[in-house]
Amino acid sequence: MITYPVLRNLTANVILFSVVIALTSCNAVKKVGDEEYLLMENTIYADSTRVTNSEVRNLLGQRPNSNILGYPLRLNLYNIAKENPDSLYQDWLHRKPKREERLSNFLSAKQVRRLGQSFVVRGFSNLLKRVGEAPVIIDTLSTQKSIDRLQAYYSSKGYFNNFATYDVVPIKRKKRAKMDYHVALGKAYYVDSLSQNIPSSQLDSIYQIHRENSFVQQGKQFDLADFNQERKRLTTIFRNTGVYDFQESSISYDVVRDTLQSNDDQKMAVQLNINNPRAADTTSTKEYLVNRFKSINIYADYQLDAANDSLLSIDYEDYTIYYKDKLKYRPKALTDAIFFKKDSIYRDLDEIRSKRQIVNLNTFKYPSFKLIPDSTGTLLISNIYLVPRAKYSLDTSIELTRSNIQLAGIGFSGSVITRNVFGGAETLSLTARGSVGFLSDNASDETFTSEIGGDINLTFPRIWFPINTEHLIPYYMLPQTRLSVGTNFQQNIGLDRQSLNSILAYNWSPDDFRKNTIELLNIEFVRNTDTDDFFRVYDNTYANLDAVADSYETIDGFADFYDETVDPAADDDNEPELIITEGTSGFIDAILNEGQALTQEDFDEVRSIEERRERLTSNNLIFTSNYTFQKNNRENPNDNDFYQYRVRFESAGNMLSLLERVIPFNQNDNGQGLVFSVPYSQYFKTEFDYIKHWGLSKSKVVAFRGFVGLAVPYGNADNIPFVRSYFAGGSNDNRAWNVYSLGPGRTDNENDFNEANFKIGLNLEYRFPIVGDVKGAFFADAGNIWNVFDNVEDEEATFNGFSSLGDIALGTGFGLRYDFTYFVIRLDTGFKTYNPALQGSERWFTDFNFREAVFNIGINYPF
């Protein structure tokens, strides 16, 4: 007898196979009645002109079933589902007299009954219906609603006499039709005259000042959207010119057609009404007035659940600060965050800015503002309630990580946060972190990586600088100063690494869409702790050196450099290999310093290898200053039509170079200035990163990214530190190549970690829904890295003008993503479409196959 788990596995495989067969042979109109039509297409015509505006098309109540490249996947999944799975199962079971008996002998009577109630029979059909999509059958009731919406829409655009009809147009394929909507617009109405009815004299004066910028203008075609925008515009103006209690509902319009004109003159008289509000608890109205501040009170220790009558107070400039027992904050730190001024008019903008800056202090919870008019109705008392956050807090987090080098990992971090450290709303954070992870196949010979580190961060909610910058960077721009000192230890990536860094940075945001960051000092010291393993970590570099050494094994004095115990199964040419580290260092010294090279080519190759080894094993001191500007016009997380860009300029080593002119530094054999026995880096670096999303519909997006970066060494350096150079390939770059395996230029993965100082990257991706939370994507990634203006002389690796743009690699592919709402897990498959490492026509599609494909696992979208 077959057990239930075995049966379940067997039926699951049968189900999968059945779904594949069913999808390939499914009839899309399987569940469409004889007198019904499956909706295939909607077309809207306005006066015979086809309408493509998505705003208009979204008015239609019925839309064709979704599809992926023309294939209605969800519709076909729905059609696979059985309408009455229980009865169908019973009918099948009893169709032959002895079928139930034979099944009971093969399984058991109980299992036969359970099979009829199982996921195989009932749950599977329900699942298909849930993830699938019912056929959209043309319905006259829904069509009439679409007609009503179209007529209402065009009426709102001034076509009050429009008339809409529809046609059901069958197509050649059975039970399928398309819908044609025709809207006869008629003549549009225009605004002929404008008048105002504003009882409040103060509001009328404000309106007259700003009327020229009105959205509603004489001679302009009537558009309801203009009237709505004008109401919002006037509300913003009034609430920022002292009328703190103004409501948008007070604005209305009387729109009347001019009956004295002929039918050919579609003109309308428009009157703007701004009514006074009703007085509290009465049926009378009160006049809107401009309000100024009489007093501003700040409650610095406000408690929602405690008595606040016994608070002490102190007057500071135009403010009164209330506190309990002892004032814990410097008065200026509080008043600098408030943009209300005594005797000034009320402005909504000042309240919004005050709330943003108070939140920026990271010392209080979200503030509460209460405005109380005095008996005259023209003066305001402002009470600002600040509820303190805890002085000390502990934050811990566990996160899953994914990077171009790390296949998967888990990170742990903990932070102790101290607020209001010096009484000026400063925040001190002490953070410790650690992580372990699995390495990508080509990242290292090791399987795991580990990392541990810590930081001390001190944040000031102002620009901490000897010169007063308030007139350049006002407090409403949320200025911050950050002092940071940290260290990090990394194992099993490259040569293992320890880094120390310290940062003095400033940032400010003029609005919600722009951000500026200046790192006045960014000092990083990088120490490679396992330099003896260079030729074990960089396998390709070792292989190149060993290939040169094959010609020297019989020469006197070279024998000690080789390991004679070679495993033929592990070494294809069965030649002795250089011993790491004694043999490699001895061989390099013999070639470069003892003049024993047989050919100039051998000497040049070994010199190139030694220069790369010295560069990658040398410690780095990077003393930089940089500026970054970011802009993002995305209004909310659901906004699928936006752009963002980042511009960065970085300069390294200039301060040390200037200091060296005053105080001579020690120098190494290459004439480089040394600081703490380490040559300091000197370079200029700039980057431009641009992202644009086009929302084709609510769930379909085309995303583009363009990146250009260049780092030019000079002065005390002839190359860029490895940690500040560029690489290509990986799950967030060109997905047809593994990380570090593309470039430089048209070289063919010569090094284990290929990097350079110039990069171009272009990415285009079409994202679309498949089923439920499963999304799909098609993408094209182009780009490469090159060496330029540094010490690399290989023409295949260097950028030599526009001709080098022919080295831009192209990868294309597809991806599957699962949306967990808060994050997305994706699997992208990239194919090498154009490989610059190959020759001539072989560059195109030679490696375009699954055997050479690269599978990338990523968290969240790449851009």
Side-chain angles (χ1 to χ4, degrees):
M1 182 176 293
I2 298 178
T3 61
Y4 184 69
V6 174
L7 174 64
R8 184 174 56 189
N9 293 334
L10 176 63
T11 53
N13 292 329
V14 172
I15 289 171
L16 180 60
F17 178 74
S18 300
V19 168
V20 174
I21 296 298
L23 286 176
T24 56
S25 59
C26 191
N27 180 8
V29 294
K30 177 181 179 180
K31 297 185 178 180
V32 179
D34 292 336
E35 302 298 326
E36 297 176 332
Y37 289 104
L38 179 68
L39 178 61
M40 301 301 294
E41 182 183 358
N42 284 321
T43 307
I44 305 172
Y45 297 94
D47 284 346
S48 301
T49 301
R50 186 166 182 168
V51 178
T52 58
N53 185 352
S54 61
E55 182 183 3
V56 179
R57 296 182 62 83
N58 288 337
L59 296 173
L60 303 182
Q62 286 190 303
R63 303 177 196 175
N65 289 99
S66 61
N67 64 79
I68 301 174
L69 297 180
Y71 180 76
L73 174 64
R74 295 186 65 189
L75 171 61
N76 286 340
L77 286 173
Y78 186 91
N79 285 338
I80 294 174
K82 303 298 183 182
E83 293 297 330
N84 299 297
D86 294 342
S87 60
L88 290 174
Y89 172 75
Q90 293 298 325
D91 178 69
W92 171 83
L93 185 63
H94 299 101
R95 189 174 302 161
K96 293 184 177 181
K98 296 185 178 182
R99 175 173 288 170
E100 183 176 7
E101 181 181 351
R102 286 197 301 269
L103 279 176
S104 298
N105 294 331
F106 181 64
L107 302 172
S108 71
K110 182 178 180 181
Q111 287 178 334
V112 171
R113 290 193 303 271
R114 291 182 63 181
L115 185 61
Q117 303 170 355
S118 69
F119 170 80
V120 177
V121 175
R122 181 188 300 171
F124 181 61
S125 289
N126 293 336
L127 174 64
L128 289 174
K129 288 183 178 181
R130 188 167 61 252
V131 301
E133 191 175 71
V136 179
I137 299 172
I138 294 176
D139 174 55
T140 55
L141 181 60
S142 297
T143 302
Q144 186 56 49
K145 290 181 179 179
S146 299
I147 290 291
D148 294 340
R149 291 173 185 170
L150 288 172
Q151 292 183 157
Y153 172 82
Y154 282 105
S155 292
S156 74
K157 298 300 179 182
Y159 299 101
F160 292 105
N161 298 323
N162 79 83
F163 182 73
T165 60
Y166 68 89
D167 293 322
V168 179
V169 183
I171 61 177
K172 293 181 179 181
R173 301 179 68 185
K174 184 176 65 172
K175 296 184 182 181
R176 296 170 173 86
K178 65 177 184 176
M179 292 293 301
D180 287 348
Y181 294 88
H182 300 272
V183 183
L185 297 178
K187 291 186 176 181
Y189 280 77
Y190 291 81
V191 177
D192 179 45
S193 62
L194 289 169
S195 60
Q196 301 86 38
N197 174 30
I198 308 176
S200 171
S201 58
Q202 294 187 7
L203 254 62
D204 185 62
S205 298
I206 297 171
Y207 172 79
Q208 297 303 329
I209 295 173
H210 299 278
R211 65 179 299 176
E212 289 184 1
N213 297 321
S214 173
F215 287 99
V216 181
Q217 296 286 348
Q218 188 174 1
K220 190 176 182 181
Q221 182 175 327
F222 178 92
D223 190 337
L224 185 60
D226 289 339
F227 289 81
N228 292 332
Q229 286 184 291
E230 180 64 6
R231 293 177 69 199
K232 289 181 171 60
R233 186 185 78 93
L234 291 177
T235 301
T236 301
I237 289 173
F238 293 142
R239 290 186 63 88
N240 282 281
T241 51
V243 190
Y244 81 99
D245 55 347
F246 187 83
Q247 301 296 322
E248 186 177 323
S249 58
S250 296
I251 302 175
S252 63
Y253 287 92
D254 293 332
V255 182
V256 181
R257 179 185 172 188
D258 191 345
T259 58
L260 299 179
Q261 302 292 332
S262 65
N263 290 334
D264 292 334
D265 295 325
Q266 311 291 324
K267 297 181 180 180
M268 312 190 77
V270 176
Q271 177 176 284
L272 167 66
N273 303 305
I274 304 181
N275 301 314
N276 284 323
R278 293 191 178 277
D281 301 326
T282 68
T283 58
S284 61
T285 60
K286 64 174 185 177
E287 185 177 356
Y288 276 125
L289 299 173
V290 173
N291 296 267
R292 296 180 178 274
F293 287 106
K294 178 180 179 180
S295 61
I296 304 168
N297 304 316
I298 302 173
Y299 291 82
D301 290 314
Y302 188 75
Q303 299 294 331
L304 298 175
D305 55 351
N308 296 281
D309 298 334
S310 59
L311 297 178
L312 303 176
S313 65
I314 182 176
D315 291 327
Y316 181 80
E317 295 182 350
D318 293 337
Y319 307 88
T320 301
I321 302 173
Y322 292 87
Y323 58 94
K324 185 177 182 180
D325 299 331
K326 180 181 178 181
L327 183 60
K328 305 180 183 70
Y329 317 94
R330 291 200 301 272
K332 182 174 172 54
L334 300 177
T335 60
D336 282 346
I338 308 299
F339 298 99
F340 293 161
K341 303 296 180 184
K342 189 175 181 181
D343 298 326
S344 66
I345 63 171
Y346 169 85
R347 299 197 312 167
D348 246 3
L349 181 61
D350 291 334
E351 181 172 340
I352 293 171
R353 287 174 171 176
S354 297
K355 289 178 178 178
R356 289 180 68 218
Q357 176 60 3
I358 291 171
V359 172
N360 185 50
L361 297 180
N362 195 31
T363 301
F364 303 98
K365 299 178 182 178
Y366 196 79
S368 174
F369 282 57
K370 188 174 182 180
L371 302 173
I372 305 172
D374 71 350
S375 57
T376 66
T378 60
L379 297 178
L380 290 176
I381 300 172
S382 174
N383 292 335
I384 301 170
Y385 301 101
L386 307 179
V387 180
R389 301 179 68 178
K391 174 75 173 180
Y392 303 99
S393 64
L394 174 64
D395 289 345
T396 58
S397 66
I398 300 176
E399 62 178 355
L400 296 176
T401 59
R402 171 71 171 87
S403 69
N404 286 312
I405 293 179
Q406 195 178 80
L407 184 63
I410 183 170
F412 310 85
S413 66
S415 299
V416 177
I417 299 173
T418 305
R419 297 181 176 87
N420 195 38
V421 179
F422 306 119
E426 301 85 3
T427 302
L428 177 66
S429 173
L430 283 75
T431 303
R433 61 184 178 275
S435 67
V436 293
F438 295 95
L439 290 174
S440 300
D441 292 340
N442 64 320
S444 172
D445 290 336
E446 302 290 344
T447 305
F448 295 95
T449 176
S450 63
E451 191 170 341
I452 188 171
D455 297 293
I456 301 175
N457 285 280
L458 179 61
T459 303
F460 299 84
R462 65 192 73 89
I463 299 298
W464 188 60
F465 199 70
I467 302 174
N468 187 0
T469 61
E470 187 176 350
H471 62 290
L472 295 174
I473 307 174
Y475 283 103
Y476 72 79
M477 293 186 180
L478 311 183
Q480 282 190 338
T481 301
R482 179 170 62 94
L483 290 170
S484 175
V485 177
T487 185
N488 197 64
F489 299 87
Q490 190 179 76
Q491 284 190 327
N492 289 347
I493 295 181
L495 303 175
D496 295 346
R497 181 181 302 152
Q498 176 186 1
S499 64
L500 300 170
N501 69 282
S502 59
I503 299 173
L504 170 59
Y506 307 100
N507 62 73
W508 66 96
S509 301
D511 50 46
D512 291 335
F513 306 108
R514 295 177 295 165
K515 183 177 181 179
N516 299 269
T517 302
I518 292 179
E519 290 186 348
L520 187 62
L521 295 176
N522 185 328
I523 305 172
E524 182 176 15
F525 174 70
V526 180
R527 175 174 171 264
N528 296 300
T529 59
D530 195 13
T531 57
D532 289 342
D533 268 354
F534 175 82
F535 285 109
R536 293 189 181 92
V537 173
Y538 293 87
D539 294 334
N540 289 356
T541 305
Y542 172 76
N544 293 337
L545 181 66
D546 191 61
V548 176
D550 286 344
S551 303
Y552 293 81
E553 59 187 86
T554 59
I555 299 177
D556 293 341
F558 281 83
D560 293 340
F561 302 152
Y562 298 88
D563 182 3
E564 299 294 341
T565 59
V566 178
D567 181 3
D571 189 28
D572 294 337
D573 58 12
N574 201 23
E575 295 285 346
E577 294 182 343
L578 288 172
I579 301 171
I580 303 175
T581 300
E582 295 81 357
T584 53
S585 59
F587 179 78
I588 291 173
D589 183 67
I591 297 298
L592 299 183
N593 299 325
E594 298 177 10
Q596 299 192 44
L598 296 178
T599 66
Q600 185 63 37
E601 288 82 2
D602 287 352
F603 180 86
D604 292 341
E605 177 69 12
V606 174
R607 182 182 63 180
S608 175
I609 291 173
E610 177 61 8
E611 287 176 351
R612 176 172 173 77
R613 188 196 68 80
E614 288 183 353
R615 174 171 172 254
L616 296 180
T617 59
S618 296
N619 300 329
N620 298 120
L621 177 63
I622 309 171
F623 199 108
T624 69
S625 299
N626 61 70
Y627 168 74
T628 304
F629 175 76
Q630 302 174 72
K631 184 175 182 180
N632 186 344
N633 74 338
R634 191 174 194 179
E635 295 182 352
N636 57 70
N638 296 321
D639 184 3
N640 288 331
D641 208 333
F642 68 93
Y643 71 86
Q644 67 182 58
Y645 66 85
R646 177 180 62 88
V647 183
R648 180 182 176 91
F649 302 97
E650 179 174 298
S651 176
N654 288 338
M655 291 186 182
L656 293 177
S657 179
L658 292 174
L659 184 62
E660 188 177 13
R661 297 181 182 181
V662 180
I663 306 174
F665 293 172
N666 293 330
Q667 295 186 343
N668 61 13
D669 296 338
N670 298 322
Q672 294 175 300
L674 303 177
V675 178
F676 302 115
S677 301
V678 177
Y680 64 87
S681 300
Q682 191 170 8
Y683 61 85
F684 178 78
K685 184 177 184 180
T686 183
E687 296 176 350
F688 179 73
D689 193 0
Y690 178 80
I691 295 174
K692 170 67 177 175
H693 284 204
W694 293 272
L696 305 182
S697 67
K698 186 177 180 180
S699 55
K700 296 180 180 179
V701 174
V702 172
F704 168 79
R705 181 191 182 194
F707 176 88
V708 178
L710 172 65
V712 180
Y714 64 94
N716 203 58
D718 58 5
N719 57 68
I720 303 299
F722 182 84
V723 294
R724 300 297 174 95
S725 59
Y726 298 111
F727 65 88
S731 62
N732 295 320
D733 193 65
N734 196 319
R735 286 162 280 187
W737 276 263
N738 287 311
V739 61
Y740 287 106
S741 67
L742 174 59
R746 55 183 180 273
T747 60
D748 188 13
N749 194 20
E750 288 189 351
N751 301 307
D752 304 87
F753 295 88
N754 294 284
E755 41 79 34
N757 63 325
F758 177 46
K759 178 175 181 177
I760 296 176
L762 301 169
N763 309 86
L764 186 67
E765 185 167 278
Y766 170 57
R767 301 167 184 167
F768 54 89
I770 298 180
V771 175
D773 293 325
V774 179
K775 318 291 182 182
F778 295 103
F779 60 82
D781 300 328
N784 208 332
I785 56 173
W786 295 266
N787 291 97
V788 63
F789 305 128
D790 62 1
N791 61 345
V792 176
E793 299 177 354
D794 184 358
E795 288 191 359
E796 293 190 343
T798 56
F799 189 85
N800 304 303
F802 287 107
S803 61
S804 294
L805 295 179
D807 299 337
I808 290 180
L810 175 63
T812 57
F814 60 88
L816 292 175
R817 291 87 190 271
Y818 191 88
D819 190 345
F820 287 92
T821 304
Y822 296 106
F823 66 95
V824 174
I825 290 182
R826 57 186 170 90
L827 172 63
D828 292 333
T829 304
F831 300 91
K832 296 177 178 63
T833 308
Y834 178 83
N835 188 350
L838 302 179
Q839 299 296 321
S841 60
E842 294 183 353
R843 293 182 169 187
W844 286 100
F845 298 107
T846 298
D847 297 326
F848 196 90
N849 53 67
F850 277 98
R851 185 171 57 85
E852 298 293 335
V854 176
F855 299 94
N856 301 275
I857 298 176
I859 297 177
N860 292 327
Y861 291 107
F863 53 92

